[in-house]
């Protein structure tokens, strides 16, 4: 279960993973071999490939917040994103997606600015949320990065 | 427990170490490892000694995972009155095995019923024990948990890359031999051309050449080429035999440039790492044999299906509010003088609790990693029967990342269960977000690239995405060095009458050793406080 580990494969590679900077875009090589997956899913061990907000939600957020956005309750809970007033302004969801919150990991190194904006805007305008005004922009996301 | 071999990795302490090793050499890496606390000998100094009179003090242990049960066992032995509250209906927490007939309901409500044959199992959580995890091994010994070798490195297992060798899986053995041989040949050439004169004295160059020959299986002309010598490493086209078919047929090595560009060399290192070196162990019959043995030891102390909703301390004790985990009945309160809380931070960060600001900040600071495993049952052990793979792990850059074959019951007829996927990072999130059956289906499709038999022999599967495990909400605490600097000591310090324990309160995250050492350290400090009061 330990995520942290054996990255010797990168020993001879440049060091993007150690910097806070955006990792480079996926190479063409990483796109090969995805015949059995949806067009942009499962493309890399370090980056998400989906560009569309709904696809990003389905691939990432739905794991905890559930496909219907209603969250889940166990020993702890995943909050519902459906009908969630904290989504009214972009700053909060952009910050949470980038930096995480409590037990939720941040995705700053796994999503680029446009992807973060796309998924935030999708959540703000779906799942019973109707915050279409002042959508998040890649520029806003960039400014919110560490 | 986990590893992320090969290309396309996310950042980590280990990546840093690898780079230090690559750039500055082994000694520098070892020094750095010691500084980061990974290479030193285990902190385990034998059974914990809680000496002095506990004066009948009571302790509430929250969580019946490995950390919680160790605390309960040792504190009771030291004279404390102990009660354990556990959210789920079984002991062990992440120390867990799934067997035929088991039902597992994940967050979101989907239930999987495991269809494995009798005696077959799958460990969704920890699955192997390093020889240097002295505390886990000692508890196994003391509690009578039988161990058997866990095969980490199997030279006859595969290494596979989508774009390596046309997607055809290679034997670990051949890539290992050809990588080593190719490097040895290059170094020998450089030495003979005088290119290492500055680094290595003339006399030592002779020794270097001799060692390269031995290490890389170089022929007398210092080349790595097709021969019986090199085939003794990489295997033969036809193995040596007896009688008239005795003569071996050597195999053709892969050129070093092709080995390098395949990047399959990246899978060769794992088994050399401290945590994955031979010998590794597993409990006979499933990892939860440890949980069951510990639960027997603390028989009667654990209350299951108890969901903690509030932890409140005052000058004289700790009051914990709980509800039935299945939702039946109202709130109830339990009180004790002290509290050892092993609840994962993913959950604890949501529980109302009056600790000081430093501990509260630490509890909120640690995100929980994604991880997914898929267990697959096949109608026969084709990996043994067809491919002579006995235990060990095949690695791939496909989203399943690895396939691990059972390190037990070799050669038995009937069905077999293997680990069909073990992923972290984006792949793990993407797997977790799929319906359970779809995870299994994907694992089958991708795994068939290594084993075409998958399609005909598949017999059923089960998948666990750790973010959907109701009592865990994630795989493990994902610390960074910066977060440790800021929060780790505050997380571990006794706060009034409450102390935390678990893998998240250790420098061995996601390993049971971390959970146990953390627990022993926590209860030792708690006990010192009690006896000195």
């Amino acid at each position: 279960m330990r995520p942290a580990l054996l990255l010797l494969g990168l020993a001879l590679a440049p060091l993007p993973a150690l910097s806070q900077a955006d990792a480079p875009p996926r190479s063409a090589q990483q796109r090969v071999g995805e015949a059995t997956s949806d067009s942009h899913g499962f493309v890399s061990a370090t980056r998400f490939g989906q560009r569309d907000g709904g696809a990003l939600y389905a691939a990432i957020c739905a794991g905890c917040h559930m496909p219907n956005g209603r969250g889940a309750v166990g020993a702890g809970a995943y909050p519902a994103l459906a009908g969630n007033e904290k989504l009214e302004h972009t700053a909060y969801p952009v910050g949470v997606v980038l930096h995480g919150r409590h037990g939720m990991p941040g995705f700053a190194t796994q999503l680029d600015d446009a992807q973060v904006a796309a998924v935030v805007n999708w959540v703000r305008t779906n799942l019973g949320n109707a915050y279409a005004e002042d959508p998040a922009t890649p520029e806003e996301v960039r400014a919110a990065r560490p | 427990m986990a590893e992320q071999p090969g290309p396309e990795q996310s950042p980590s302490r280990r990546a840093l170490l690898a780079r230090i090793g690559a750039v500055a050499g082994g000694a520098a890496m070892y020094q750095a490892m010691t500084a980061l606390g990974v290479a030193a000998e285990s902190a385990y100094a034998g059974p914990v000694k809680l000496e002095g009179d506990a004066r009948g003090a009571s302790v509430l242990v929250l969580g019946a995972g490995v950390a919680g049960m160790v605390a309960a066992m040792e504190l009771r032995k030291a004279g404390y009155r102990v009660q354990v509250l556990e959210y789920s209906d079984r002991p062990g927490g992440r120390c867990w095995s799934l067997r035929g007939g088991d039902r597992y309901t994940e967050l979101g409500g989907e239930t999987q019923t495991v269809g494995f044959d009798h005696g077959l199992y799958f460990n969704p959580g920890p699955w192997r024990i390093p020889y240097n995890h002295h505390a886990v091994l000692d508890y196994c010994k003391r509690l009578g948990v039988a161990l058997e070798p866990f095969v980490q490195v199997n030279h006859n297992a595969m290494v596979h890359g989508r774009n390596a060798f046309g997607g055809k899986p290679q034997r670990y053995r051949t890539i290992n031999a050809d990588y080593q041989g190719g490097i040895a040949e290059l170094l020998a050439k450089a030495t003979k051309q005088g290119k290492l004169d500055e680094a290595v004295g003339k006399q030592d160059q002779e020794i270097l050449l001799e060692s390269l020959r031995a290490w890389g299986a170089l022929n007398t002309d210092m080349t790595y080429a097709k021969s019986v010598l090199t085939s003794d490493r990489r295997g033969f086209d036809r193995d040596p035999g007896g009688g008239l078919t005795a003569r071996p047929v050597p195999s053709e090595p892969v050129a070093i440039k092709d080995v390098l560009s395949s990047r399959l060399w990246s899978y060769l290192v794992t088994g050399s790492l401290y945590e994955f070196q031979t010998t590794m162990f597993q409990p006979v019959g499933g990892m939860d044999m440890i949980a069951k043995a510990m639960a027997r030891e603390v028989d009667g102390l654990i209350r299951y299906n108890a969901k903690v909703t509030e932890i409140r301390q005052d000058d004289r004790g700790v009051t914990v509010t709980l509800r039935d985990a299945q939702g039946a009945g109202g709130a109830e309160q339990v009180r004790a003088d002290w509290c050892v809380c092993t609840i994962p931070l993913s959950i604890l960060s949501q529980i109302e609790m009056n600790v000081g600001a430093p501990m509260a900040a630490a509890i909120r600071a640690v995100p929980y990693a994604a991880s997914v495993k898929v267990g697959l049952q096949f109608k026969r052990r084709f990996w043994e029967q067809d491919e002579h793979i006995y235990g060990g792990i095949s690695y791939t850059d496909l989203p399943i990342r690895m396939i691990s074959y059972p390190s037990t019951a070799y050669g038995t007829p009937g069905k077999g269960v293997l680990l069909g996927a073990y992923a972290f990072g984006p792949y793990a999130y993407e797997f977790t977000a799929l319906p359970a059956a779809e995870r299994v289906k994907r694992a089958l499709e991708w795994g068939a690239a290594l084993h075409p038999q998958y399609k005909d022999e598949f017999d059923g599967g089960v998948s666990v995405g750790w973010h959907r495990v109701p009592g865990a909400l994630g795989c493990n605490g994902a610390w960074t060095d910066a977060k440790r600097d800021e929060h780790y000591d505050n997380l571990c310090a006794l706060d009034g009458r409450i102390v935390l324990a678990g893998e998240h309160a250790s420098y061995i995250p996601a390993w049971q050793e971390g959970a146990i050492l953390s627990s022993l350290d926590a209860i030792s400090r708690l006990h010192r406080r009690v006896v000195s009061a």
Side-chain angles (χ1 to χ4, degrees):
Chain A
M1 295 194 292
R2 175 187 211 168
L5 317 223
L6 310 191
L7 318 207
L8 305 212
L10 288 178
L12 300 178
L15 310 180
L18 287 181
S19 75
Q20 291 295 329
D22 250 358
R26 291 185 298 122
S27 67
Q29 188 175 328
Q30 287 168 325
R31 292 176 205 269
V32 179
E34 58 195 44
T36 55
S37 67
D38 49 85
S39 57
H40 300 289
F42 291 98
V43 296
S44 149
T46 56
R47 307 278 300 177
F48 292 97
Q50 299 84 355
R51 308 300 311 172
D52 172 72
L56 285 162
Y57 181 88
I60 309 173
C61 319
C64 295
H65 298 283
M66 298 298 146
N68 60 13
R70 291 199 186 146
V73 180
Y78 294 125
L81 301 181
N84 189 324
E85 289 175 5
K86 288 184 175 171
L87 299 170
E88 183 175 353
H89 303 291
T90 54
Y92 181 77
V94 164
V96 171
V97 171
L98 281 178
H99 312 306
R101 182 174 156 74
H102 301 176
M104 173 181 158
F107 294 87
T109 63
Q110 298 165 346
L111 295 172
D112 65 24
D113 298 336
Q115 287 172 306
V116 173
V119 73
V120 164
N121 290 332
W122 189 88
V123 174
R124 292 178 71 240
T125 53
N126 285 278
L127 307 173
N129 301 308
Y131 302 112
E133 281 178 30
D134 299 324
T137 63
E139 292 69 33
E140 178 190 356
V141 175
R142 177 164 302 271
R145 283 185 182 274
Chain B
M1 282 165 266
E3 59 183 298
Q4 267 188 305
E8 292 192 84
Q9 300 300 339
S10 48
S12 78
R13 181 182 62 178
R14 231 163 258 275
L16 175 63
L17 288 175
R19 288 174 189 134
I20 293 171
V23 174
M29 178 155 127
Y30 187 84
Q31 231 169 19
M33 284 170 78
T34 308
L36 292 170
V38 296
E41 270 296 293
S42 163
Y44 187 67
V48 68
K49 293 188 185 72
L50 303 178
E51 284 159 357
D53 189 356
R55 287 171 289 195
S58 58
V59 180
L60 206 42
V61 176
L62 306 182
V66 164
M69 289 194 287
V70 162
M73 193 184 314
E74 301 296 354
L75 287 170
R76 181 168 71 170
K77 218 177 284 174
Y80 289 85
R81 289 176 290 132
V82 178
Q83 189 179 354
V84 186
L85 301 180
E86 165 58 38
Y87 170 77
S88 83
D89 58 2
R90 58 164 182 85
R94 283 163 276 182
C95 173
W96 178 30
S97 305
L98 284 169
R99 300 183 179 77
D102 286 348
R103 286 163 61 83
Y104 162 56
T105 301
E106 63 179 43
L107 290 174
E110 188 169 5
T111 296
Q112 300 175 72
T113 301
V114 184
F116 297 161
D117 266 20
H118 181 73
L120 302 179
Y121 67 89
F122 155 66
N123 297 319
W127 55 311
R128 48 191 169 178
I129 305 169
Y131 67 85
N132 43 44
H133 282 190
H134 305 300
V136 178
L137 292 175
D138 194 39
Y139 274 96
C140 287
K141 190 166 135 193
R142 284 155 60 191
L143 301 179
V145 177
L147 299 173
E148 62 192 347
F150 172 93
V151 179
Q152 168 69 39
V153 177
N154 179 342
H155 283 70
N156 202 40
M158 322 274 207
V159 286
H160 170 259
R162 280 171 261 206
N163 301 307
F165 304 102
K168 187 172 181 287
Q170 306 294 300
R171 297 287 177 181
Y172 181 102
R173 180 185 69 237
T174 63
I175 295 299
N176 189 52
D178 296 349
Y179 177 63
Q180 202 166 303
I183 299 281
E185 182 183 304
L186 285 173
L187 261 179
K189 205 173 284 174
T191 306
K192 285 169 120 181
Q193 290 170 349
K195 289 176 179 165
L196 298 184
D197 285 357
E198 279 183 30
V200 188
K202 272 291 164 207
Q203 230 173 358
D204 287 342
Q205 284 188 18
E206 285 310 310
I207 303 173
L208 174 62
L209 287 170
E210 195 185 327
S211 78
L212 288 172
R213 233 184 114 184
W215 181 65
L218 302 186
N219 297 308
T220 45
D221 61 354
M222 300 305 280
T223 61
Y224 180 75
K226 181 176 182 173
S227 66
V228 168
L229 185 71
T230 56
S231 288
D232 267 335
R233 303 282 173 95
R234 71 188 315 285
F236 294 82
D237 274 354
R238 190 178 72 199
D239 283 355
L244 288 175
T245 58
R247 194 164 292 119
V249 178
S251 60
E252 186 70 58
V254 175
I256 185 65
K257 68 173 175 50
D258 295 329
V259 175
L260 290 174
S261 66
S262 78
R263 307 195 79 82
L264 296 183
W265 46 265
S266 63
Y267 300 119
L268 302 174
V269 185
T270 309
S272 303
L273 291 162
Y274 192 49
E275 279 167 342
F276 301 100
Q277 289 170 3
T278 306
T279 305
M280 300 197 81
F281 296 98
Q282 63 183 13
V284 175
M287 187 56 81
D288 73 351
M289 292 300 168
I290 293 179
K292 288 176 171 168
M294 288 182 170
R296 273 196 298 276
E297 204 66 17
V298 295
D299 190 33
L301 300 187
I302 305 173
R303 175 167 171 182
Y304 295 101
N305 299 308
K307 174 174 172 167
V308 172
T309 58
E310 192 179 340
I311 304 166
R312 199 152 286 279
Q313 58 176 329
D314 52 49
D315 292 344
R316 308 178 53 181
V318 183
T319 302
V320 169
T321 306
L322 60 100
R323 286 173 181 279
D324 183 278
Q326 312 302 326
E332 200 183 316
Q333 293 191 325
V334 188
R335 192 168 163 86
D337 300 328
W338 304 91
C339 176
V340 176
C341 176
T342 72
I343 296 173
L345 303 180
S346 48
I347 295 157
L348 192 60
S349 57
Q350 305 182 24
I351 293 174
E352 223 179 298
M353 186 175 181
N354 63 338
V355 292
M359 181 184 271
I363 288 169
R364 288 194 302 263
V366 186
Y368 268 56
S371 164
V372 72
K373 275 187 182 176
V374 178
L376 300 174
Q377 174 165 273
F378 292 96
K379 292 173 202 158
R380 62 185 183 93
R381 296 167 75 109
F382 61 80
W383 51 92
E384 295 178 357
Q385 295 159 8
D386 303 353
E387 300 172 75
H388 316 291
I389 296 173
Y390 302 98
I393 300 172
S394 288
Y395 290 104
T396 173
D397 63 358
L398 289 166
I400 56 173
R401 299 321 309 266
M402 67 181 85
I403 295 171
S404 178
Y405 315 92
S407 292
T408 193
Y410 303 112
T412 47
K415 296 174 183 175
V417 169
L418 53 67
L419 176 68
Y422 186 16
F424 297 90
Y427 289 151
Y429 288 106
E430 295 186 76
F431 262 115
T432 302
L434 295 171
E438 183 68 17
R439 292 177 208 138
V440 170
K441 187 169 156 254
R442 301 277 181 125
L444 270 181
E445 285 172 12
W446 281 312
L450 282 81
H451 296 292
Q453 301 97 319
Y454 260 41
K455 292 191 167 134
D456 289 336
E457 307 295 348
F458 175 64
D459 190 63
V462 60
S463 65
V464 173
W466 276 93
H467 271 128
R468 286 210 180 160
V469 175
L473 270 61
C475 169
N476 67 284
W479 287 97
T480 60
D481 290 344
K483 290 211 172 193
R484 278 200 194 274
D485 287 347
E486 193 179 347
H487 295 294
Y488 181 79
D489 289 353
N490 295 335
L491 186 83
C492 298
L494 189 62
D495 181 303
R497 293 177 166 269
I498 298 170
V499 67
L500 308 189
E503 60 81 25
H504 50 276
S506 82
Y507 265 74
I508 321 175
W511 290 90
Q512 296 174 113
E513 183 78 358
I516 294 180
L517 292 180
S518 146
S519 183
L520 295 177
D521 180 73
I523 61 173
S524 299
R525 284 183 284 120
L526 177 70
H527 181 66
R528 275 201 297 277
R529 173 72 61 89
V530 169
V531 296
S532 65

